[in-house]
């Protein structure tokens, strides 16, 4: 009997041991299997949708460009061919193209050539170096700043080619034009001339262009940058927002985001001015959401409230939040804003804007979608 009981106990022990081994093996197999994370899956789907939207947008821009390389503005109420062509060139580069290489490489090369060809290369007196077009009376120094930025980014991608040499000459001249155009207060104005007038958003475009030129290897007058960034910093109001210009009390989310991104571009990432600016942006965007407004997408004014320059605001908000010390600012805002942008894309890959036209709106939103990829030097953290 004792032998029988012992035998039964041994059999039971062996069975338990076998069961334990089977359970461990099953657990190991489960551990090797990927765990389904619905949040990750949703994020991956959103990333895929955003990349597809970006490629459609870049393809749309390439399909509509003019034979001479410029982007069309015929559908715009206000045509700004210099600015729009520069923005499209930046969008193509941000999407991974280089001149002559990539899906839109030829379109990018043509746009860069157009910008270089429209740079005044006369003797170094005003308006030498000014990027302009006789048919464009709107872009002025705003457009010149975007064009200089585009030339700088293009030069870093093909400096040793024949095109690179042409771009280098145009970039040098365009950079000197900005330096000579700085006003007595440190800001710049709509015309390429030194004077008493000044305006914040033009100064902002100029500073980012100078930063890009310096990063590309050009010698840039550091005093010009210092005076311009001081002008931007002095334009801040007590509530943290930034004025349209010194002496002008008008401020906005767009101007504040642009000012912060410009101070970041000049190397200032965290001080009282920057922190107050971010606090203002967070407060204002939260208030919009509470009121039912669509962030920077208020295409249909509600009770007289709307964003006057939604595409401009969006790209500068993206830059400002992208450079923020608190990375959650960008991730939280960008995810919601990206969803809004994707819902408004047309079937042909474009976005609409009655003021400056489809090419402008599409280039700006393409830059917004491409920013996290970090391919454009000016967008790198």
């Amino acid at each position: 009997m004792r032998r029988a009981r012992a035998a039964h106990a041994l059999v039971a022990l062996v069975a338990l041991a076998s069961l334990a081994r089977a359970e461990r093996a099953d657990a190991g197999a489960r551990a090797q299997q990927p765990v389904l994370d619905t949040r990750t899956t949703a994020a991956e789907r959103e990333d895929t949708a955003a990349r597809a939207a970006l490629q459609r947008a870049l393809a749309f821009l390439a399909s509509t460009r003019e034979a001479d390389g410029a982007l069309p503005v015929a559908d715009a109420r206000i045509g700004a061919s210099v600015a729009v062509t520069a923005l499209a060139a930046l969008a193509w580069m941000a999407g991974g193209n280089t001149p002559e290489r990539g899906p839109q490489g030829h379109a990018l090369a043509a746009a860069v050539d157009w910008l270089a060809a429209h740079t005044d290369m006369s003797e170094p007196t005003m308006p030498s170096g000014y990027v302009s077009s006789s048919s464009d009376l709107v872009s002025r120094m705003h457009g010149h700043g975007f064009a200089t930025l585009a030339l700088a980014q293009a030069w870093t991608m093909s400096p040793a080619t024949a095109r690179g040499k042409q771009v280098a000459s145009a970039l040098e001249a365009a950079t000197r034009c900005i330096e000579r155009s700085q006003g007595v207060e440190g800001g710049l104005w709509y015309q390429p001339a030194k004077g008493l007038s000044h305006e914040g958003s033009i100064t902002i475009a100029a500073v980012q262009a100078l930063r890009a030129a310096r990063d590309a290897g050009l010698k840039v007058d550091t005093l010009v940058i210092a005076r311009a960034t001081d002008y931007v910093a002095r334009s801040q109001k007590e509530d943290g927002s930034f004025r349209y210009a010194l002496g002008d009390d008008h401020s906005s989310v767009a101007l504040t985001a642009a000012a912060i991104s410009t101070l970041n571009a000049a190397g200032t990432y965290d001080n009282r001015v920057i922190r107050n600016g971010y606090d203002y942006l967070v407060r204002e965007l939260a208030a919009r959401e509470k009121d039912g407004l669509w962030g920077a997408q208020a295409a249909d004014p509600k009770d007289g409230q709307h964003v006057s320059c939604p595409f401009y605001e969006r790209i500068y908000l993206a830059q400002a939040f992208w450079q923020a010390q608190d990375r959650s600012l960008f991730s939280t805002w960008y995810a919601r804003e990206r969803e809004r942008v994707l819902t408004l894309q047309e079937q042909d890959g474009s976005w609409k804007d009655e003021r400056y036209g489809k090419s402008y709106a599409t280039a700006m939103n393409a830059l917004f979608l491409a920013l996290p990829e970090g391919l454009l030097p000016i967008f790198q953290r």
Side-chain angles (χ1 to χ4, degrees):
M1 291 293 291
R2 284 197 297 270
R3 287 197 190 95
R5 285 197 296 271
H8 286 304
L10 180 61
V11 171
L13 184 61
V14 170
L16 287 172
S18 298
L19 180 60
R21 284 196 299 271
E23 288 178 345
R24 287 196 298 270
D26 185 55
R30 289 197 304 271
Q32 292 178 0
Q33 293 177 352
V35 177
L36 182 61
D37 186 334
T38 56
R39 290 175 301 175
T40 301
T41 303
E44 289 175 348
R45 287 198 299 269
E46 291 166 2
D47 288 343
T48 299
R51 290 191 179 99
L54 171 61
Q55 292 308 314
R56 290 197 303 274
L58 299 178
F60 168 82
L61 291 171
S63 70
T64 60
R65 70 179 177 90
E66 304 286 359
D68 62 358
L71 271 291
V73 293
D75 65 321
R77 181 161 47 86
I78 304 173
S81 56
V82 172
V84 172
T85 300
L87 291 169
L90 288 166
W92 285 320
M93 287 185 279
N97 296 276
T98 60
E100 302 292 358
R101 305 187 72 171
Q104 292 84 37
H106 293 302
L108 169 59
V112 170
D113 289 347
W114 188 90
L115 293 172
H118 284 77
T119 305
D120 189 331
M121 300 299 291
S122 60
E123 293 299 317
T125 56
M126 290 302 185
S128 175
Y130 187 42
V131 185
S132 63
S133 171
S134 59
S135 62
D136 180 358
L137 303 178
V138 177
S139 294
R140 296 185 284 181
M141 283 299 286
H142 265 132
H144 177 84
F146 292 139
T148 306
L149 175 60
L151 289 170
Q153 305 293 269
W155 188 45
T156 63
M157 296 179 179
S158 56
T161 64
R163 175 175 289 107
K165 294 178 180 178
Q166 181 186 19
V167 170
S169 297
L171 175 60
E172 172 84 24
T175 300
R176 303 300 164 232
C177 178
I178 292 175
E179 293 175 339
R180 290 193 303 269
S181 300
Q182 188 172 41
V184 295
E185 286 282 359
L188 288 92
W189 188 238
Y190 289 94
Q191 304 302 328
K194 186 181 184 72
L196 297 175
S197 299
H198 46 82
E199 194 259 27
S201 63
I202 295 173
T203 305
I204 283 163
V207 172
Q208 292 206 355
L210 293 178
R211 160 70 185 271
R214 185 182 64 182
D215 288 350
L218 261 68
K219 184 178 180 180
V220 177
D221 190 337
T222 56
L223 180 59
V224 171
I225 295 179
R227 293 183 63 231
T229 53
D230 177 67
Y231 173 92
V232 173
R234 285 187 290 132
S235 69
Q236 189 174 43
K237 297 169 63 174
E238 290 186 4
D239 65 357
S241 65
F242 285 79
R243 294 178 174 85
Y244 170 76
L246 286 178
D248 185 327
D249 205 45
H250 171 68
S251 63
S252 68
V253 167
L255 290 169
T256 301
I260 290 173
S261 65
T262 300
L263 295 174
N264 290 163
T268 304
Y269 296 97
D270 185 27
N271 61 16
R272 181 180 57 80
V273 171
I274 296 290
R275 289 192 294 272
N276 289 345
Y278 279 125
D279 288 345
Y280 168 82
L281 292 180
V282 171
R283 289 197 311 271
E284 288 299 305
L285 293 177
R288 285 185 188 175
E289 294 291 341
K290 184 179 179 181
D291 291 341
L293 294 176
W294 257 33
Q297 192 59 56
D300 298 319
K302 178 181 178 181
D303 299 328
Q305 293 180 304
H306 65 284
V307 178
S308 60
C309 300
F311 302 96
Y312 176 96
E313 178 182 288
R314 180 179 296 114
I315 191 59
Y316 280 113
L317 274 171
Q319 290 183 57
F321 287 149
W322 180 249
Q323 296 290 352
Q325 298 288 317
D326 181 357
R327 296 297 172 85
S328 67
L329 282 177
F330 178 81
S331 59
T332 301
W333 172 82
Y334 187 81
R336 299 178 72 181
E337 192 67 18
R338 182 174 66 177
E339 182 180 355
R340 293 163 178 164
V341 167
L342 295 183
T343 61
L344 294 176
Q345 188 175 31
E346 300 290 318
Q347 287 294 322
D348 62 3
S350 70
W351 282 269
K352 293 180 179 179
D353 182 61
E354 292 184 1
R355 183 186 296 178
Y356 297 112
K358 279 189 172 184
S359 295
Y360 165 77
T362 304
M364 290 294 258
N365 276 348
L367 283 169
F368 165 81
L369 292 173
L371 186 144
E373 302 295 331
L375 298 180
L376 199 65
I378 197 68
F379 288 163
Q380 292 174 0
R381 280 179 171 142

